[in-house]
Coordinates of all heavy atoms in Angstrom, one line a residue:
E23 N -110.8 -165.2 126.0 CA -112.2 -165.2 126.0 C -112.7 -163.8 126.1 O -112.2 -163.0 127.0 CB -112.8 -166.1 127.1 CG -114.3 -166.1 127.2 CD -114.7 -167.0 128.3 OE1 -114.1 -168.1 128.5 OE2 -115.7 -166.6 128.9
L24 N -113.7 -163.4 125.3 CA -114.2 -162.0 125.4 C -115.3 -162.0 126.5 O -116.1 -162.9 126.6 CB -114.9 -161.7 124.1 CG -113.9 -161.5 122.9 CD1 -114.7 -161.3 121.6 CD2 -113.0 -160.3 123.1
A25 N -115.3 -160.9 127.2 CA -116.3 -160.7 128.2 C -117.5 -160.1 127.4 O -117.4 -159.3 126.6 CB -115.9 -159.7 129.2
R26 N -118.7 -160.7 127.7 CA -119.9 -160.2 127.0 C -120.8 -159.5 128.0 O -121.1 -160.0 129.1 CB -120.6 -161.4 126.4 CG -119.8 -162.0 125.2 CD -120.6 -163.1 124.6 NE -119.8 -163.7 123.6 CZ -120.1 -163.8 122.3 NH1 -121.2 -163.3 121.9 NH2 -119.2 -164.4 121.5
E27 N -121.3 -158.4 127.6 CA -122.3 -157.7 128.4 C -123.5 -157.6 127.5 O -123.5 -157.5 126.3 CB -121.8 -156.2 128.7 CG -120.6 -156.2 129.6 CD -120.2 -154.8 129.9 OE1 -121.0 -153.9 129.9 OE2 -119.0 -154.6 130.2
S28 N -124.7 -157.6 128.2 CA -125.9 -157.4 127.5 C -126.8 -156.5 128.3 O -126.7 -156.5 129.6 CB -126.6 -158.7 127.1 OG -127.0 -159.3 128.3
W29 N -127.6 -155.8 127.7 CA -128.6 -155.0 128.4 C -129.8 -154.8 127.4 O -129.7 -155.0 126.2 CB -128.1 -153.6 128.8 CG -127.4 -152.9 127.7 CD1 -127.9 -152.0 126.8 CD2 -126.0 -153.0 127.3 NE1 -127.0 -151.6 125.9 CE2 -125.8 -152.2 126.2 CE3 -125.0 -153.7 127.9 CZ2 -124.5 -152.1 125.6 CZ3 -123.7 -153.6 127.2 CH2 -123.5 -152.8 126.2
A30 N -130.9 -154.6 128.0 CA -132.2 -154.6 127.2 C -132.3 -153.3 126.4 O -132.0 -152.2 126.9 CB -133.4 -154.8 128.1
L31 N -132.7 -153.4 125.2 CA -133.1 -152.2 124.4 C -134.5 -151.8 124.8 O -134.9 -150.6 124.7 CB -133.0 -152.5 122.9 CG -131.7 -152.8 122.4 CD1 -131.7 -153.1 120.9 CD2 -130.7 -151.7 122.6
A32 N -135.3 -152.7 125.2 CA -136.7 -152.5 125.6 C -137.2 -153.7 126.3 O -136.8 -154.8 126.0 CB -137.6 -152.2 124.4
R33 N -138.0 -153.5 127.3 CA -138.6 -154.6 128.1 C -140.1 -154.3 128.2 O -140.5 -153.1 128.2 CB -138.0 -154.8 129.5 CG -136.6 -155.2 129.5 CD -136.5 -156.7 129.6 NE -135.2 -157.1 129.9 CZ -134.5 -158.0 129.3 NH1 -135.1 -158.7 128.4 NH2 -133.3 -158.3 129.6
A34 N -140.9 -155.3 128.5 CA -142.3 -155.1 128.8 C -142.8 -156.2 129.7 O -142.3 -157.4 129.6 CB -143.1 -155.1 127.5
A35 N -143.8 -155.9 130.5 CA -144.4 -156.9 131.3 C -145.9 -156.7 131.2 O -146.4 -155.5 131.0 CB -144.0 -156.8 132.8
A36 N -146.7 -157.8 131.4 CA -148.2 -157.6 131.3 C -148.8 -158.6 132.2 O -148.3 -159.7 132.5 CB -148.6 -157.9 129.8
W37 N -150.0 -158.2 132.7 CA -150.9 -159.0 133.6 C -152.3 -158.8 133.0 O -152.7 -157.7 132.7 CB -150.8 -158.5 135.0 CG -151.8 -159.2 135.9 CD1 -151.7 -160.4 136.5 CD2 -153.1 -158.7 136.2 NE1 -152.8 -160.7 137.2 CE2 -153.7 -159.7 137.0 CE3 -153.9 -157.6 135.8 CZ2 -155.0 -159.5 137.5 CZ3 -155.1 -157.5 136.3 CH2 -155.7 -158.4 137.1
L38 N -153.0 -159.9 132.9 CA -154.4 -159.8 132.4 C -155.3 -160.6 133.3 O -155.0 -161.6 133.9 CB -154.5 -160.4 131.0 CG -153.7 -159.9 129.9 CD1 -153.9 -160.7 128.7 CD2 -154.0 -158.4 129.6
R39 N -156.6 -160.1 133.4 CA -157.7 -161.0 133.9 C -158.5 -161.3 132.6 O -159.0 -160.4 132.0 CB -158.5 -160.2 134.9 CG -159.6 -161.1 135.6 CD -160.2 -160.5 136.8 NE -160.8 -159.3 136.6 CZ -162.1 -159.1 136.3 NH1 -162.9 -160.1 136.1 NH2 -162.6 -157.9 136.2
Y40 N -158.5 -162.6 132.3 CA -159.0 -163.0 131.0 C -159.8 -164.3 131.2 O -159.4 -165.2 131.8 CB -157.8 -163.3 130.1 CG -158.1 -163.9 128.8 CD1 -158.6 -163.1 127.7 CD2 -157.8 -165.3 128.5 CE1 -158.8 -163.7 126.5 CE2 -158.1 -165.8 127.3 CZ -158.6 -165.0 126.3 OH -158.8 -165.6 125.0
D41 N -161.0 -164.2 130.5 CA -161.9 -165.4 130.6 C -162.5 -165.6 129.2 O -163.7 -166.0 129.0 CB -163.0 -165.2 131.6 CG -163.9 -164.0 131.3 OD1 -163.7 -163.4 130.3 OD2 -164.7 -163.7 132.2
G42 N -161.7 -165.4 128.1 CA -162.2 -165.4 126.8 C -162.3 -164.0 126.3 O -162.3 -163.7 125.1
T43 N -162.4 -163.1 127.2 CA -162.4 -161.6 127.0 C -161.5 -161.0 128.0 O -161.5 -161.4 129.2 CB -163.9 -161.0 127.2 OG1 -164.7 -161.6 126.3 CG2 -163.9 -159.5 127.0
I44 N -160.7 -160.0 127.6 CA -159.8 -159.4 128.6 C -160.7 -158.4 129.4 O -161.3 -157.5 128.9 CB -158.7 -158.6 127.9 CG1 -157.8 -159.6 127.1 CG2 -157.9 -157.8 128.9 CD1 -156.7 -159.0 126.3
R45 N -160.7 -158.7 130.8 CA -161.5 -157.9 131.7 C -160.7 -156.8 132.4 O -161.2 -155.7 132.7 CB -162.1 -158.8 132.8 CG -162.9 -160.0 132.3 CD -164.1 -159.5 131.6 NE -164.9 -160.6 131.1 CZ -165.9 -160.5 130.3 NH1 -166.4 -159.3 130.0 NH2 -166.6 -161.6 129.9
E46 N -159.4 -157.1 132.6 CA -158.4 -156.1 133.1 C -157.1 -156.3 132.5 O -156.8 -157.4 132.1 CB -158.2 -156.3 134.7 CG -159.3 -155.8 135.5 CD -159.0 -156.0 137.0 OE1 -158.2 -155.1 137.5 OE2 -159.4 -156.9 137.6
A47 N -156.3 -155.2 132.4 CA -155.0 -155.4 131.8 C -154.1 -154.4 132.4 O -154.4 -153.2 132.7 CB -155.1 -155.1 130.3
R48 N -152.8 -154.8 132.6 CA -151.8 -154.0 133.1 C -150.6 -154.2 132.2 O -150.2 -155.4 132.0 CB -151.3 -154.3 134.5 CG -152.4 -154.1 135.6 CD -152.8 -152.7 135.8 NE -153.9 -152.5 136.8 CZ -155.2 -152.5 136.5 NH1 -155.6 -152.7 135.3 NH2 -156.0 -152.4 137.5
V49 N -150.0 -153.2 131.6 CA -148.9 -153.3 130.7 C -147.9 -152.2 131.1 O -148.2 -151.1 131.3 CB -149.3 -153.0 129.2 CG1 -148.1 -153.1 128.3 CG2 -150.3 -154.1 128.8
V50 N -146.6 -152.7 131.3 CA -145.5 -151.8 131.7 C -144.4 -151.9 130.7 O -144.0 -153.0 130.3 CB -145.0 -152.2 133.1 CG1 -143.8 -151.3 133.5 CG2 -146.1 -152.0 134.2
I51 N -143.9 -150.8 130.3 CA -142.7 -150.7 129.4 C -141.5 -150.2 130.2 O -141.7 -149.3 131.0 CB -143.0 -149.7 128.2 CG1 -144.2 -150.1 127.4 CG2 -141.8 -149.5 127.3 CD1 -144.1 -151.3 126.6
A52 N -140.4 -150.8 129.9 CA -139.2 -150.5 130.7 C -138.0 -150.4 129.7 O -138.0 -150.8 128.6 CB -138.9 -151.5 131.8
C53 N -136.9 -149.8 130.2 CA -135.6 -149.6 129.5 C -135.7 -148.5 128.4 O -134.7 -148.4 127.6 CB -135.1 -150.9 128.9 SG -134.9 -152.2 130.2
L54 N -136.7 -147.7 128.4 CA -136.8 -146.6 127.4 C -136.4 -145.3 128.1 O -136.0 -144.4 127.4 CB -138.1 -146.5 126.7 CG -138.6 -147.7 125.9 CD1 -139.9 -147.4 125.2 CD2 -137.6 -148.0 124.8
G55 N -136.7 -145.3 129.3 CA -136.4 -144.0 130.1 C -135.8 -144.4 131.5 O -135.4 -145.5 131.7
P56 N -135.8 -143.4 132.4 CA -135.2 -143.7 133.7 C -136.0 -144.6 134.6 O -135.5 -145.1 135.6 CB -135.1 -142.3 134.3 CG -136.2 -141.5 133.6 CD -136.3 -142.1 132.2
R57 N -137.3 -144.9 134.3 CA -138.1 -145.8 135.1 C -139.1 -146.5 134.2 O -139.5 -146.0 133.2 CB -138.7 -145.0 136.2 CG -139.7 -144.0 135.7 CD -140.4 -143.2 136.9 NE -141.1 -142.1 136.3 CZ -142.3 -142.2 135.7 NH1 -142.8 -143.4 135.5 NH2 -143.0 -141.2 135.3
P58 N -139.6 -147.6 134.7 CA -140.7 -148.3 134.0 C -141.9 -147.5 134.0 O -142.1 -146.6 134.9 CB -140.9 -149.6 134.8 CG -139.6 -149.8 135.5 CD -139.1 -148.4 135.8
A59 N -142.8 -147.6 133.0 CA -144.0 -146.8 132.9 C -145.2 -147.6 132.5 O -145.1 -148.4 131.5 CB -143.8 -145.6 131.9
R60 N -146.3 -147.6 133.2 CA -147.5 -148.2 132.8 C -148.0 -147.5 131.5 O -147.8 -146.4 131.3 CB -148.6 -148.1 133.9 CG -148.4 -149.2 134.9 CD -149.5 -149.5 135.8 NE -150.8 -149.7 135.2 CZ -152.0 -149.5 135.8 NH1 -152.0 -149.2 137.1 NH2 -153.1 -149.7 135.2
Q61 N -148.8 -148.3 130.8 CA -149.3 -147.8 129.5 C -150.8 -147.9 129.4 O -151.4 -148.8 128.9 CB -148.7 -148.7 128.4 CG -147.2 -148.6 128.3 CD -146.7 -147.2 128.1 OE1 -147.1 -146.6 127.1 NE2 -145.8 -146.7 129.0
P62 N -151.5 -146.8 130.0 CA -152.9 -146.9 130.1 C -153.7 -146.9 128.8 O -154.7 -147.5 128.7 CB -153.3 -145.6 130.9 CG -152.0 -144.8 131.0 CD -150.9 -145.7 130.7
Q63 N -153.1 -146.3 127.7 CA -153.8 -146.4 126.4 C -153.8 -147.8 125.9 O -154.8 -148.3 125.3 CB -153.2 -145.4 125.4 CG -153.5 -144.0 125.6 CD -153.1 -143.1 124.5 OE1 -153.7 -143.3 123.4 NE2 -152.1 -142.3 124.7
I64 N -152.7 -148.5 126.0 CA -152.6 -149.9 125.6 C -153.6 -150.7 126.4 O -154.3 -151.6 125.9 CB -151.2 -150.4 125.7 CG1 -150.3 -149.7 124.6 CG2 -151.1 -151.9 125.4 CD1 -148.8 -150.0 124.7
E65 N -153.5 -150.5 127.8 CA -154.4 -151.3 128.7 C -155.9 -151.1 128.3 O -156.6 -152.1 128.2 CB -154.2 -150.8 130.1 CG -152.8 -151.2 130.6 CD -152.5 -150.5 131.9 OE1 -153.3 -149.7 132.5 OE2 -151.4 -150.8 132.4
S66 N -156.3 -149.8 128.1 CA -157.7 -149.5 127.7 C -158.1 -150.2 126.4 O -159.2 -150.7 126.2 CB -157.9 -148.0 127.6 OG -157.7 -147.4 128.8
A67 N -157.1 -150.2 125.4 CA -157.4 -150.8 124.1 C -157.6 -152.4 124.3 O -158.3 -153.0 123.5 CB -156.3 -150.5 123.1
L68 N -156.9 -152.9 125.2 CA -157.0 -154.4 125.4 C -158.3 -154.8 126.1 O -158.9 -155.8 125.8 CB -155.8 -154.9 126.3 CG -154.5 -154.9 125.6 CD1 -153.4 -155.1 126.6 CD2 -154.5 -156.0 124.5
V69 N -158.8 -154.0 127.1 CA -160.0 -154.4 127.9 C -161.2 -154.4 127.0 O -161.5 -153.5 126.2 CB -160.2 -153.4 129.0 CG1 -161.5 -153.6 129.7 CG2 -159.0 -153.5 130.0
G70 N -161.9 -155.6 127.1 CA -163.1 -155.8 126.3 C -162.8 -156.6 125.0 O -163.7 -157.0 124.3
S71 N -161.5 -156.7 124.7 CA -161.1 -157.4 123.5 C -161.1 -158.9 123.7 O -161.1 -159.4 124.9 CB -159.8 -157.0 122.9 OG -158.7 -157.5 123.6
D72 N -161.0 -159.7 122.7 CA -160.9 -161.2 122.8 C -159.5 -161.7 123.0 O -159.3 -162.8 123.2 CB -161.5 -161.9 121.6 CG -160.8 -161.5 120.3 OD1 -159.8 -160.8 120.3 OD2 -161.3 -162.0 119.2
G73 N -158.5 -160.8 123.0 CA -157.2 -161.1 123.2 C -156.5 -161.8 122.0 O -155.4 -162.4 122.2
S74 N -157.1 -161.7 120.9 CA -156.6 -162.3 119.7 C -155.3 -161.5 119.3 O -155.0 -160.4 119.8 CB -157.5 -162.2 118.5 OG -157.8 -160.8 118.2
E75 N -154.5 -162.2 118.4 CA -153.3 -161.5 117.9 C -153.6 -160.2 117.3 O -152.8 -159.2 117.5 CB -152.5 -162.4 117.0 CG -151.8 -163.6 117.7 CD -151.0 -164.4 116.7 OE1 -150.5 -163.9 115.7 OE2 -150.9 -165.6 117.0
A76 N -154.7 -160.1 116.6 CA -155.1 -158.8 115.9 C -155.4 -157.8 117.0 O -155.0 -156.6 116.8 CB -156.2 -159.0 115.0
A77 N -156.1 -158.2 118.0 CA -156.5 -157.2 119.1 C -155.3 -156.7 119.8 O -155.1 -155.5 120.1 CB -157.5 -157.8 120.0
I78 N -154.3 -157.6 120.1 CA -153.1 -157.3 120.7 C -152.3 -156.3 119.9 O -151.8 -155.3 120.3 CB -152.3 -158.5 121.1 CG1 -153.0 -159.3 122.2 CG2 -150.9 -158.1 121.6 CD1 -152.4 -160.7 122.5
A79 N -152.1 -156.6 118.6 CA -151.4 -155.8 117.7 C -152.0 -154.4 117.6 O -151.2 -153.4 117.6 CB -151.3 -156.4 116.3
S80 N -153.3 -154.3 117.5 CA -154.0 -153.0 117.5 C -153.7 -152.2 118.8 O -153.4 -151.0 118.8 CB -155.5 -153.2 117.3 OG -156.1 -152.0 117.3
A81 N -153.7 -152.9 119.9 CA -153.5 -152.2 121.2 C -152.1 -151.7 121.3 O -151.9 -150.6 121.8 CB -153.9 -153.2 122.4
V82 N -151.1 -152.5 121.0 CA -149.7 -152.1 121.2 C -149.3 -151.1 120.2 O -148.3 -150.4 120.3 CB -148.7 -153.3 121.2 CG1 -149.1 -154.2 122.4 CG2 -148.6 -154.0 119.9
A83 N -150.1 -150.8 119.2 CA -149.9 -149.8 118.2 C -150.2 -148.4 118.8 O -149.8 -147.4 118.2 CB -150.6 -150.0 116.9
K84 N -150.9 -148.3 119.9 CA -151.2 -147.1 120.6 C -149.9 -146.4 121.0 O -148.9 -147.0 121.2 CB -152.1 -147.3 121.8 CG -153.4 -148.0 121.5 CD -154.3 -147.1 120.7 CE -155.7 -147.8 120.5 NZ -156.4 -147.2 119.4
P85 N -150.0 -145.1 121.2 CA -148.8 -144.4 121.6 C -148.2 -144.9 122.9 O -149.0 -145.2 123.8 CB -149.2 -142.9 121.7 CG -150.4 -142.8 120.8 CD -151.1 -144.2 120.9
I86 N -146.9 -145.0 123.0 CA -146.3 -145.4 124.2 C -146.2 -144.1 125.1 O -145.7 -143.1 124.6 CB -144.9 -146.0 123.9 CG1 -145.0 -147.1 123.0 CG2 -144.1 -146.2 125.2 CD1 -144.5 -148.4 123.4
E87 N -146.6 -144.2 126.3 CA -146.8 -143.0 127.1 C -145.7 -142.9 128.2 O -145.2 -143.9 128.7 CB -148.1 -143.0 127.8 CG -149.3 -142.9 126.9 CD -150.6 -143.0 127.6 OE1 -151.0 -141.9 128.1 OE2 -151.2 -144.0 127.6
D88 N -145.4 -141.7 128.7 CA -144.6 -141.4 129.8 C -143.2 -142.0 129.8 O -142.7 -142.4 130.7 CB -145.3 -142.0 131.1 CG -144.8 -141.3 132.4 OD1 -144.3 -140.2 132.3 OD2 -144.9 -141.9 133.4
V89 N -142.6 -142.0 128.5 CA -141.2 -142.4 128.4 C -140.6 -141.4 127.4 O -141.2 -140.8 126.6 CB -141.1 -143.8 127.8 CG1 -141.6 -144.8 128.7 CG2 -141.7 -143.9 126.4
D90 N -139.3 -141.2 127.7 CA -138.5 -140.3 126.8 C -137.4 -141.1 126.2 O -136.3 -141.1 126.7 CB -137.9 -139.1 127.6 CG -139.0 -138.2 128.1 OD1 -140.0 -137.9 127.4 OD2 -138.9 -137.7 129.3
S91 N -137.8 -141.9 125.2 CA -136.8 -142.8 124.6 C -135.7 -142.0 123.9 O -136.1 -141.0 123.2 CB -137.5 -143.7 123.6 OG -136.5 -144.6 123.1
V92 N -134.5 -142.3 124.1 CA -133.4 -141.6 123.4 C -132.5 -142.7 122.7 O -132.4 -143.8 123.2 CB -132.5 -140.8 124.4 CG1 -133.3 -139.6 125.0 CG2 -132.0 -141.6 125.5
G93 N -131.9 -142.3 121.6 CA -131.0 -143.1 120.9 C -129.7 -143.1 121.6 O -129.3 -142.1 122.3
D94 N -128.9 -144.1 121.4 CA -127.5 -144.1 121.8 C -126.7 -145.0 120.8 O -127.2 -145.3 119.7 CB -127.4 -144.6 123.2 CG -128.0 -146.1 123.5 OD1 -128.1 -146.8 122.5 OD2 -128.2 -146.4 124.6
S95 N -125.5 -145.4 121.2 CA -124.7 -146.2 120.3 C -125.3 -147.6 120.0 O -124.8 -148.3 119.1 CB -123.3 -146.3 120.8 OG -123.3 -147.0 122.1
H96 N -126.3 -148.0 120.8 CA -126.8 -149.4 120.6 C -128.1 -149.4 119.8 O -128.3 -150.4 119.1 CB -127.1 -150.0 122.0 CG -125.9 -150.0 122.9 ND1 -124.8 -150.8 122.6 CD2 -125.5 -149.2 123.9 CE1 -123.9 -150.6 123.5 NE2 -124.3 -149.7 124.3
A97 N -128.9 -148.3 119.8 CA -130.1 -148.3 119.1 C -130.7 -146.9 119.0 O -130.5 -146.1 120.0 CB -131.1 -149.2 119.7
S98 N -131.4 -146.6 117.9 CA -132.0 -145.3 117.8 C -133.3 -145.3 118.7 O -133.8 -146.3 119.1 CB -132.4 -145.0 116.4 OG -133.5 -145.9 116.0
A99 N -133.7 -144.1 119.0 CA -135.0 -143.9 119.8 C -136.1 -144.6 119.1 O -136.9 -145.3 119.8 CB -135.3 -142.5 120.1
E100 N -136.2 -144.5 117.8 CA -137.3 -145.1 117.1 C -137.3 -146.6 117.1 O -138.3 -147.3 117.3 CB -137.3 -144.6 115.6 CG -137.5 -143.2 115.4 CD -136.3 -142.3 115.7 OE1 -135.2 -142.8 115.7 OE2 -136.5 -141.1 115.9
Y101 N -136.1 -147.2 117.0 CA -135.9 -148.6 117.1 C -136.3 -149.1 118.5 O -137.0 -150.1 118.7 CB -134.5 -149.0 116.8 CG -134.3 -150.5 116.8 CD1 -134.8 -151.3 115.7 CD2 -133.7 -151.2 117.8 CE1 -134.6 -152.7 115.7 CE2 -133.5 -152.6 117.8 CZ -134.0 -153.3 116.7 OH -133.8 -154.7 116.7
R102 N -135.9 -148.4 119.6 CA -136.3 -148.8 120.9 C -137.8 -148.8 121.1 O -138.3 -149.7 121.7 CB -135.6 -147.9 121.9 CG -134.1 -148.1 122.1 CD -133.6 -147.1 123.1 NE -132.1 -147.2 123.2 CZ -131.5 -148.1 123.9 NH1 -132.1 -148.9 124.7 NH2 -130.1 -148.1 123.9
L103 N -138.4 -147.8 120.6 CA -139.9 -147.7 120.7 C -140.6 -148.9 119.9 O -141.5 -149.5 120.4 CB -140.4 -146.4 120.1 CG -140.2 -145.2 121.0 CD1 -140.5 -143.9 120.3 CD2 -141.0 -145.3 122.3
E104 N -140.0 -149.2 118.8 CA -140.6 -150.4 118.0 C -140.4 -151.7 118.8 O -141.2 -152.5 118.9 CB -140.0 -150.4 116.6 CG -140.6 -151.5 115.8 CD -142.1 -151.4 115.6 OE1 -142.7 -150.3 115.6 OE2 -142.8 -152.4 115.5
M105 N -139.2 -151.8 119.4 CA -138.9 -153.0 120.2 C -139.8 -153.1 121.4 O -140.2 -154.2 121.9 CB -137.4 -153.1 120.5 CG -136.5 -153.4 119.4 SD -136.9 -155.0 118.5 CE -138.0 -154.4 117.1
A106 N -140.1 -151.9 122.0 CA -141.0 -151.9 123.1 C -142.4 -152.4 122.7 O -143.0 -153.2 123.5 CB -141.1 -150.5 123.7
R107 N -142.8 -152.1 121.5 CA -144.1 -152.6 121.0 C -144.1 -154.1 120.8 O -145.0 -154.8 121.2 CB -144.5 -151.9 119.7 CG -145.0 -150.5 119.9 CD -145.5 -149.9 118.6 NE -146.1 -148.6 119.0 CZ -145.4 -147.4 119.1 NH1 -144.1 -147.5 118.9 NH2 -146.0 -146.3 119.4
V108 N -143.0 -154.6 120.3 CA -142.8 -156.0 120.0 C -142.8 -156.7 121.4 O -143.5 -157.7 121.6 CB -141.5 -156.3 119.3 CG1 -141.2 -157.8 119.3 CG2 -141.6 -155.8 117.8
Q109 N -142.1 -156.2 122.4 CA -142.0 -156.8 123.7 C -143.4 -156.8 124.4 O -143.7 -157.7 125.0 CB -140.9 -156.1 124.5 CG -139.5 -156.4 124.1 CD -139.1 -157.8 124.1 OE1 -139.4 -158.5 125.1 NE2 -138.6 -158.4 123.1
A110 N -144.1 -155.7 124.2 CA -145.4 -155.6 124.8 C -146.4 -156.6 124.2 O -147.1 -157.3 125.0 CB -146.0 -154.2 124.7
A111 N -146.3 -156.8 122.9 CA -147.2 -157.8 122.3 C -146.9 -159.2 122.8 O -147.8 -160.0 123.1 CB -147.1 -157.7 120.8
L112 N -145.6 -159.5 122.9 CA -145.2 -160.8 123.4 C -145.6 -161.0 124.8 O -146.1 -162.1 125.2 CB -143.7 -161.0 123.3 CG -143.1 -161.1 121.9 CD1 -141.6 -161.0 121.9 CD2 -143.6 -162.3 121.2
A113 N -145.5 -160.0 125.7 CA -145.8 -160.1 127.1 C -147.3 -160.2 127.2 O -147.8 -161.1 128.0 CB -145.4 -158.8 127.8
V114 N -148.1 -159.5 126.5 CA -149.6 -159.6 126.5 C -150.0 -161.0 126.1 O -150.9 -161.7 126.7 CB -150.3 -158.5 125.7 CG1 -151.8 -158.8 125.6 CG2 -150.0 -157.2 126.4
G115 N -149.4 -161.5 125.0 CA -149.8 -162.8 124.5 C -149.5 -163.9 125.5 O -150.3 -164.8 125.7
E116 N -148.3 -163.8 126.1 CA -147.9 -164.7 127.2 C -148.9 -164.7 128.4 O -149.3 -165.7 128.9 CB -146.5 -164.5 127.6 CG -145.8 -165.6 128.3 CD -144.3 -165.3 128.5 OE1 -143.6 -165.1 127.5 OE2 -143.9 -165.3 129.6
A117 N -149.2 -163.4 128.8 CA -150.2 -163.3 129.9 C -151.5 -163.9 129.6 O -152.2 -164.5 130.4 CB -150.3 -161.8 130.3
R118 N -152.0 -163.7 128.3 CA -153.3 -164.3 127.9 C -153.2 -165.8 128.0 O -154.1 -166.4 128.5 CB -153.6 -163.8 126.4 CG -154.9 -164.4 125.9 CD -155.0 -164.4 124.4 NE -153.9 -165.2 123.9 CZ -153.2 -164.9 122.8 NH1 -153.5 -163.8 122.1 NH2 -152.2 -165.7 122.4
E119 N -152.1 -166.4 127.5 CA -152.0 -167.8 127.6 C -152.0 -168.3 129.0 O -152.6 -169.3 129.3 CB -150.7 -168.3 126.9 CG -150.8 -168.1 125.4 CD -149.5 -168.5 124.7 OE1 -148.6 -169.2 125.3 OE2 -149.3 -168.1 123.5
Q120 N -151.3 -167.6 129.9 CA -151.2 -168.0 131.3 C -152.5 -167.9 132.0 O -153.0 -168.7 132.7 CB -150.1 -167.3 132.0 CG -148.7 -167.6 131.6 CD -147.7 -166.8 132.2 OE1 -148.0 -165.8 133.0 NE2 -146.4 -167.1 131.9
A121 N -153.2 -166.8 131.7 CA -154.5 -166.5 132.3 C -155.6 -167.5 131.8 O -156.4 -168.0 132.5 CB -155.0 -165.1 132.0
G122 N -155.5 -167.9 130.5 CA -156.4 -168.9 129.9 C -156.2 -170.3 130.5 O -157.1 -171.0 130.7
A123 N -154.9 -170.6 130.7 CA -154.6 -171.9 131.3 C -155.0 -172.0 132.7 O -155.4 -173.1 133.2 CB -153.1 -172.1 131.2
A124 N -155.1 -170.9 133.4 CA -155.5 -170.9 134.8 C -157.0 -170.9 135.0 O -157.5 -171.3 136.0 CB -154.9 -169.6 135.5
A125 N -157.7 -170.6 133.9 CA -159.2 -170.5 134.0 C -159.8 -171.9 134.0 O -159.3 -172.8 133.6 CB -159.7 -169.6 132.9

C-alpha cells in the first residue's frame, strides 16, 4: 500500500454578516505564504453587494494581498494564486448560505 500525503495548494475562509446585502465580510487566504492573511480589498468589494455569484466573482478578482506565493514542485505561484481565488469564492458562497439560513 502506498502512503499518501496531501497538503493544500491554497485555502480560504470567510465570515459574513448578511441579510440580503453583505454588511460585513472577513476573508482569509492561507497556504500561499508563511501565514494566513486577511484580504481587505476583497472584503471591501463584498460589503454592500447582494452576495450574488457575480458579486463574489468580481470581489475575488481583486488583488490578493500580503502573500508571497512561490511555486514549487506541486504548483506554480500563478496556479496557487488562482486556486486561492477559487477557494475564496467557495468560502464566501458558503458563508453567504450559512448567514442566509441563520437569518
Side-chain angles (χ1 to χ4, degrees):
E23 179 176 324
L24 293 174
R26 293 183 186 238
E27 294 183 27
S28 66
W29 49 90
L31 296 177
R33 294 267 192 226
W37 172 87
L38 302 176
R39 188 162 59 89
Y40 175 75
D41 61 6
T43 300
I44 296 175
R45 305 295 179 186
E46 282 184 82
R48 301 290 181 268
V49 178
V50 175
I51 300 290
C53 300
L54 295 183
R57 63 181 173 72
R60 275 195 52 199
Q61 299 301 304
Q63 285 192 67
I64 293 173
E65 295 170 358
S66 294
L68 289 166
V69 172
S71 77
D72 61 2
S74 66
E75 287 185 29
I78 293 169
S80 177
V82 301
K84 300 293 182 196
I86 302 234
E87 297 180 78
D88 200 24
V89 297
D90 294 320
S91 182
V92 294
D94 60 20
S95 63
H96 304 289
S98 69
E100 295 79 19
Y101 184 76
R102 286 180 188 273
L103 286 169
E104 185 57 31
M105 289 302 97
R107 286 186 174 83
V108 168
Q109 292 297 313
L112 291 171
V114 171
E116 200 171 300
R118 180 201 58 218
E119 288 176 21
Q120 290 175 359

